[in-house]
Amino acid sequence: MADQDAQDRQLPATARRLQKAREEGQVARSRDLGHFAALAAGGAVLAAAAPWAARWLQQGLDRALRFDARALAHPELMLERLGELATLLLWMVLPPGLLMTVVAVAVALAGGGWNWTFKPLAPKFAFLDPIGGLGRLFSKAQLIEALKACLLAAVLMTIGALYLRAHAGDFAALLAVPLPAAVGDAAQTILGGLVLLVLALAGFAAVDLPLQRHLLAQKLKMSHQEVKQEHKELEGNQEVKSKQKARMREMTKRRMLAAVPRADLVVMNPTHYAVALKYEDGKMAAPRVVAKGADLLALRIRDVAKGAEVPVLQAPVLARALYAHTKLDQEIPQALFAAVAQVLAYVYRLRAALAGRGPNPGELPELPVPAELDPHQKAVPDMEHYE
């Protein structure tokens, strides 16, 4: 099953998969690169400060090996002398140690970036499975890490053994040299061996960093099914989305039909388009579209308007222009102000005539609708010019 699963995972990880891996603490980092950087920084400090450190150590040893009658008469002074020596050694060790730590952290951040997460610390009960643990123990990544660690240890031990063997006489000769000179000579000899170890670590780091990135990329590979599932999660289930859109359209339709009885008039063409308009003097800067629809929805708007005794006017060109260039619950464009104003004035005169307060307005006059706003024309201009 594991082999079959590995065979299925042939696609590179997506950006979302890589982000989730970073959130879980899975970042390609090279321990050998950190070791190399830390030792290189420590070696550089040792090489630069070797003469000064040697003199300081010589002075410290000189003070430590001096005894006087007062020190012999008061043994408790030995504690004070030990404290002074400990302070001296700390001042020699702490600065290089802090520098090595900072360099190792900086190199790790440069290799894998900043990644602050507590998820790796969370308990994972799946790791308690002994069978699964054996699988992880003998996995490809673990075997590579074990072989690399063994090879690195063998190389470093070989370099150290050969270097000590080649300089055994130099170390033995230090016994015949006065102590101050012996300290300086020992520092130079140790520095030479440290350079060889740093060079070996540099070689391993040059191989380990791309190896860790390759192993992580192999681990995060995805199958076709996983890519499809992720795409579905990002884009959403199409069936659910279509149902949501249908539900939203139905809610919008109901809201529009509920607003039709409060409209001032409905403009139609004569069955394909219907646009319901409302205007409140002093509250609106221009008439507002409260409902619009085409085909069956246009007929529904017409029927609701007639049932609520809202005037329904047949103005094909204006109906088409309003339907094409207006949005629900927004004011009509400025280019249609004159035509809509004439329609509203006609409706007001018609209502007055029906109430016996004026003459019959007759037929609806020709409306000043710009020809380019009619969607039946070949060219429909950008409406930003008319806003």
Side-chain angles (χ1 to χ4, degrees), residues 76-125:
E76 64 273 9
L77 295 178
M78 294 299 296
L79 295 177
E80 181 180 348
R81 183 68 63 84
L82 289 176
E84 294 176 357
L85 292 176
T87 303
L88 174 64
L89 292 176
L90 284 176
W91 277 109
M92 295 185 63
V93 173
L94 282 180
L98 291 176
L99 177 63
M100 294 170 66
T101 302
V102 171
V103 170
V105 172
V107 169
L109 292 178
W114 178 265
N115 190 44
W116 182 264
T117 177
F118 289 103
K119 287 189 176 181
L121 301 179
K124 297 181 176 61
F125 297 102

Side-chain angles (χ1 to χ4, degrees), residues 26-67:
Q26 300 184 47
V27 181
R29 299 195 190 277
S30 172
R31 295 181 180 178
D32 292 339
L33 181 61
H35 298 160
F36 157 72
L39 285 180
V45 171
L46 180 61
W52 171 78
R55 286 195 300 271
W56 199 8
L57 184 59
Q58 291 170 5
Q59 295 172 2
L61 288 175
D62 183 59
R63 290 196 303 270
L65 296 178
R66 286 183 180 179
F67 297 96

